[in-house]
Amino acid sequence: MEKDKFTLIPLVDSESNMHMQLNTYPRSDAIITIPETKNEINLLTYNIFLRPPLIKTNKNDHKNSRVEEFIKTVHNFDIICLQEAFGLWNKRKQKLVKMAQKQGFVYFKECPNPPMFSTYPLDGGLITLSRYPIVDSEFGHYPYSILADSAAYKGVLYTKINVNDNFLHVFTTHTQATHGNKFDPETFITRGDQLLSFRQFLDKMMAKYYTKGDVVILCGDFNVNARQPNFSLSGIEEDYVPLKLYPSLAQDGYCNEYENMKAILSRNNEDQITDLVYESLGFFPPTFGVSRIGKDGREEPDEVILTHAVDYCTNLCLDYIFQLTPKFGRKKEFELSDSKTLKKSSILRVKPKSSRVEPFYVKHPKVTQLSDHLGLATTIEIVPFPEMEQLKSDR
C-alpha cells in the first residue's frame, strides 16, 4: 500500500474560526464541584493515561501524583469509565479502585487479563466504576490491533447498571490509535474493523440484556478525529471493510471517518445515534493535543508535561459520548398494556444540553492536568414516569 496516496482534506472551518474554539475551558485553580442531587447521575469518560511502569512520554508521567489528584475529583461523578488504566505490573490501578470504593464507588468491572499463552502482554486498560449496582458485565475482544496498540488486549467493556430499578447500558472502548499524528492508512483500516466488531458485540449485548426504555451509552477514546475526519480512499478501497457494507460512505473517492463511525455504530442510521457533547456545545471540542491562546496572543500547547511534542496544538477530537436509541426502543413504541412498564415510578433520560468537557486542571507542583486527554461528562436524569395521557399523545 502506498502511503503517499493517503491524504487528508482540511476542515471547512477557517483557521480563524478554529482558533475561536481554542481554550474553551478557562484554566481554574480549583476543580468545579457538580451539585449532588438524587435525581441526577453524572457519567464521566476519561482516558486517564495510566500506562505500566517504566513507560513514559517525557521525563516523567507522574503516575502516582495523578492518581492521588484524580481521586480528589471523583465525588463529582456517579459512573466513571476509564481508558488506559492498565493493570499488568501496575498496582496503581488497584490503588485507584480501592480509593474510589472508599468514596462510594462500591461496584466496578474491568476488562479481563489477556488469555494465557496469547501474544498480548497487556490487558485492554478499561474499567467502569459505579455508585449504582452493576448487575451484568461482559467484554468483547477486538480481532486485532497494530503497531504499539497490538500489545493491549483491546475491546469493548459492557456494563448493565441498575439505577432505581431502571437500567443504563454502558459500553466503553479504546480503539486503534494513529500514532504520532502521522496519518497511516493501516490504522484507519484497523479502526474500521474494530468499530464493526463493536457493533457486533453491541447487538449481542442488546439482544441479551436490553429492555425498551433503557438508556444506552457508548463512550471512550475512539481515536477518530471529528475535527479533521476526511481521508482519501485511494489504494485502500479493498481493505476498508465498512465500505463493503455501506458503499454510500464513499463520496468522490473520500470518506469522512467521523460519519463512518456513527454509521457503523448505528447500523447505517438504522438506530438513532446522538453525539451528546456536540449536541450540547454545537462544535467538536478538542480533547487531545489541546492548545490555548497565551498572554502574548499566540497559540501555545495547553499541556506539555504528559503530551509528546509532536502532538502539541494538534487539537484532535478523539473522545465521545454517544447515546444510542434502538429502533425498537423509542418512546412512541411503548406498549400501553405492558403492566411492567406502567408500574415503573421513574425512567432515565439524558438531560438535554448537559454534556460537557472536564479538563481536570489541577494546581500541583508536578502536573497541570491529570492526563494528556481531556475528559467528557454527561448527566442522566431520574424523572417520574410519564402519565398515561402523555404516553398516548406521544404515539
Side-chain angles (χ1 to χ4, degrees), residues 34 43 58 273 352 375:
I34 302 171
L43 180 147
N58 297 311
I273 189 166

Side-chain angles (χ1 to χ4, degrees), residues 62-111:
H62 302 291
K63 299 179 180 74
N64 290 331
S65 296
R66 291 191 292 113
V67 168
E68 292 172 1
E69 288 297 317
F70 179 69
I71 289 297
K72 295 177 183 179
T73 72
V74 299
H75 63 278
N76 292 327
F77 308 101
D78 303 290
I79 298 171
I80 298 176
C81 301
L82 299 177
Q83 303 88 46
E84 288 200 18
F86 294 104
L88 192 63
W89 310 315
N90 194 354
K91 293 183 179 180
R92 297 182 183 93
K93 178 180 177 180
Q94 288 73 17
K95 178 181 178 180
L96 189 156
V97 170
K98 289 180 180 179
M99 295 173 71
Q101 287 179 323
K102 291 180 180 179
Q103 296 204 38
F105 290 85
V106 180
Y107 310 93
F108 78 97
K109 291 293 179 180
E110 58 188 335
C111 58

Side-chain angles (χ1 to χ4, degrees), residues 54-290:
L54 303 182
I55 298 178
K56 58 185 180 180
T57 299
N58 297 311
K59 292 182 179 180
N60 194 323
D61 276 1
H62 302 291
K63 299 179 180 74
N64 290 331
S65 296
R66 291 191 292 113
V67 168
E68 292 172 1
E69 288 297 317
F70 179 69
I71 289 297
K72 295 177 183 179
T73 72
V74 299
H75 63 278
N76 292 327
F77 308 101
D78 303 290
I79 298 171
I80 298 176
C81 301
L82 299 177
Q83 303 88 46
E84 288 200 18
F86 294 104
L88 192 63
W89 310 315
N90 194 354
K91 293 183 179 180
R92 297 182 183 93
K93 178 180 177 180
Q94 288 73 17
K95 178 181 178 180
L96 189 156
V97 170
K98 289 180 180 179
M99 295 173 71
Q101 287 179 323
K102 291 180 180 179
Q103 296 204 38
F105 290 85
V106 180
Y107 310 93
F108 78 97
K109 291 293 179 180
E110 58 188 335
C111 58
N113 289 325
M116 190 175 295
F117 307 119
S118 74
T119 59
Y120 303 101
L122 297 175
D123 60 271
L126 305 175
I127 184 169
T128 296
L129 305 158
S130 176
R131 299 184 188 275
Y132 295 88
I134 297 176
V135 295
D136 285 295
S137 179
E138 295 192 30
F139 177 75
H141 171 233
Y142 288 146
Y144 74 102
S145 300
I146 62 173
L147 304 177
D149 287 28
S150 64
Y153 191 58
K154 281 180 173 284
V156 187
L157 179 62
Y158 163 75
T159 50
K160 180 179 180 181
I161 302 174
N162 186 333
V163 180
N164 290 19
D165 293 326
N166 295 283
F167 294 103
L168 180 64
H169 304 264
V170 180
F171 296 80
T172 186
T173 192
H174 185 192
T175 64
Q176 173 69 46
T178 300
H179 296 280
N181 202 30
K182 295 179 181 179
F183 299 98
D184 183 350
E186 292 291 345
T187 61
F188 281 71
I189 292 170
T190 302
R191 201 156 45 240
D193 290 345
Q194 291 178 346
L195 290 171
L196 289 170
S197 178
F198 188 135
R199 177 66 210 206
Q200 292 173 353
F201 178 69
L202 186 150
D203 285 337
K204 180 181 176 181
M205 295 300 99
M206 297 293 278
K208 194 172 182 180
Y209 297 114
Y210 179 81
T211 302
K212 290 185 297 184
D214 295 349
V215 172
V216 182
I217 296 293
L218 320 179
C219 66
D221 178 356
F222 287 83
N223 274 310
V224 173
N225 180 22
R227 294 171 64 86
Q228 195 172 15
N230 299 320
F231 64 98
S232 171
L233 291 169
S234 178
I236 67 171
E237 296 97 331
E238 293 301 316
D239 296 321
Y240 194 64
V241 179
L243 288 184
K244 294 181 173 67
L245 297 176
Y246 312 122
S248 62
L249 294 177
Q251 296 184 359
D252 299 324
Y254 294 94
C255 259
N256 181 302
E257 194 183 16
Y258 173 77
E259 294 299 331
N260 292 3
M261 173 173 63
K262 292 203 301 179
I264 294 168
L265 295 176
S266 64
R267 197 179 290 281
N268 205 21
N269 298 313
E270 182 177 299
D271 298 326
Q272 179 181 336
I273 189 166
T274 304
D275 184 336
L276 295 176
V277 177
Y278 180 84
E279 182 184 56
S280 293
L281 301 182
F283 65 94
F284 297 112
T287 61
F288 177 79
V290 178

Side-chain angles (χ1 to χ4, degrees), residues 367-378:
V367 293
T368 59
Q369 291 173 215
L370 299 186
S371 174
D372 60 342
H373 281 248
L374 305 186
L376 300 177
T378 195

Side-chain angles (χ1 to χ4, degrees), residues 308-321:
H308 196 287
V310 72
D311 296 312
Y312 288 172
C313 303
T314 51
N315 290 295
L316 310 182
C317 178
L318 304 179
D319 305 83
Y320 303 92
I321 305 177

